[in-house]
Amino acid sequence: MSNRYAVILAAGQGSRMKSKLYKVLHPVAGKPMVEHVVDQIEKIQPTEIVTIVGHGAEQVKAHLGSRSSYATQTEQLGTGHAVLQAKDLLANKEGITLVVCGDTPLLTADTLNNLVEYHQEKGAQATILTAFAEDPTGYGRVIRNELGIVEKIVEQKDATKEEARVQEINTGTYCFDNKMLFEALAQVGNNNAQGEYYLPDVIEILKAKAQIVAAYRMKDFEEALGVNDRIALAEAAKLMRLRINHEHMKNGVTLIDPETTYIDRDVKIGSDTVIEAGVVLKGKTEIGADCLIGAHSEIIESKIADNAQVVSSNIEHSTVAEAATIGPYSHLRPNSVIEEAAHIGNFVEVKNATVGKGTKAGHLTYIGDAELGEHINIGCGTIFVNYDGQNKFKTIVGDYAFIGSNANLVAPLIIEKNAVIAAGSTITQDVPEDSLAIARSRQENKVGYLKEQKKK
């Protein structure tokens, strides 16, 4: 098999995005567009990937790291000029080079692999990835002769009226014989409406040398979508989301309403899990098998084990163990660990805390900077008082402790196992094992108080 190289065009600023963020770094389904492109290219096992960077170069390099080599296009003088920047890295190598735009996040490895194989089967020196467009506005047109042989590619601004009616469009993705690509690029001029060096001009140069130029038409036009503005970004995100959702459903996940379910590309979900409407799963979240993720929950970069339930709650950078239940309307903030069969209920917030096996905090509670053992009962309205205005402090609660409602546990604090905290207490000192702690004023009833007030 010939060596395979890939050049990713990622130097444009993307002025139509009207954004401070570099165009190819705009996210689709949880990751920058250019990362989607690299993910798919890596699946066809290239010998080397070269990313052409310009505006925002350091940010692109920070995202892709060692997955790519880099060449810099200091002036944006067109796609041909961009590819030419990879000359020092690739020009003298034997093999096939893919050229792909960094703003085409919907391209798949299957399509790229089919393009390369078709290129090889035809013995071509250049192969264009094309698609049929109902509305080709904005795309370069692929012009064929009466025998169906590719003659040239014409940009819309340079097309005649007849050429503009052609519906076979250039997707901006190509396959080339590597050496011939760089030889032809040296001959590309800029005599066109934009005054730029167009990569499609390589096709005419190769044709003039009687080289074979082929065109492979992809099955799904949607893959060809290039993102140049926020409208196209939203469309790409929608299409990617539906693609991801279909993959999960094929793998045994039930999505009650796929059109309102937002799942990032790197999320993993086990079989027989049910995802209700309005759920958002972000980052590298992992959901186990046989789980229920209730409507309008948001889970970010977290792990949810098998048989767990999350009902209308927010979870971020946390871990939920098997058979634990969360919600409704709970909030797990970063570094929360909810152990097996524990329960975090209505309007409970947990932050930087471990809640042990079988422990229950049913309602209206804040648990921050704490270590809770097993089978503890946390009464309604309990507050773990962890912050003195400058520093955070930790509370440790032993197994089988009972925390009465409306208790304030002022850290640093240790409540040992089997201890009981009386309802309404503010606890500031450690509580020994098997002890009852009461810290509240003695009740006093003033009989007849209201009548006396009325007399006054």
Side-chain angles (χ1 to χ4, degrees), residues 291 304-309 320-326 339-343:
C291 293
I304 314 297
D306 297 349
N307 296 296
Q309 292 190 9
V320 176
E322 185 170 356
T325 55
I326 310 296
E339 299 286 7
E340 182 181 349
H343 173 62

Side-chain angles (χ1 to χ4, degrees), residues 72-200:
T72 302
Q73 185 186 25
T74 53
E75 294 182 88
Q76 276 62 62
L77 300 177
T79 52
H81 180 259
V83 176
L84 191 59
Q85 307 314 302
K87 180 179 179 180
D88 291 344
L89 294 171
L90 297 179
N92 297 318
K93 296 180 178 180
E94 299 281 351
I96 294 170
T97 294
L98 267 172
V99 179
V100 184
C101 295
D103 61 1
T104 53
L106 298 173
L107 276 174
T108 65
D110 285 344
T111 294
L112 295 175
N113 194 59
N114 290 341
L115 171 63
V116 173
E117 290 183 351
Y118 186 85
H119 176 84
Q120 292 176 303
E121 288 170 7
K122 296 298 181 182
Q125 280 68 55
T127 302
I128 310 155
L129 181 63
T130 73
F132 180 84
E134 291 291 342
D135 178 8
T137 303
Y139 290 94
R141 311 303 201 275
V142 177
I143 309 302
R144 298 177 184 262
N145 64 19
E146 62 277 5
L147 298 176
I149 297 171
V150 175
E151 289 292 330
K152 60 181 178 177
I153 300 170
V154 179
E155 297 298 318
Q156 178 162 305
K157 292 180 181 179
D158 300 309
T160 65
K161 289 183 179 180
E162 184 178 351
E163 289 169 339
R165 286 194 290 269
V166 172
Q167 290 180 284
E168 185 177 14
I169 60 100
N170 171 26
T171 67
T173 297
Y174 306 86
C175 221
F176 294 102
D177 174 273
N178 186 64
K179 284 191 172 182
M180 289 191 175
L181 167 63
F182 286 97
E183 289 172 6
L185 282 171
Q187 302 172 48
V188 171
N190 65 343
N191 185 25
N192 52 61
Q194 293 294 98
E196 294 185 348
Y197 298 88
Y198 290 152
L199 180 60

Side-chain angles (χ1 to χ4, degrees), residues 210-232:
Q211 300 295 338
I212 298 173
V213 174
Y216 174 76
R217 184 184 291 184
M218 64 166 64
K219 296 178 182 179
D220 186 357
F221 170 74
E222 291 177 347
E223 283 191 42
L225 179 64
V227 176
N228 290 310
D229 57 28
R230 305 291 182 133
I231 298 168

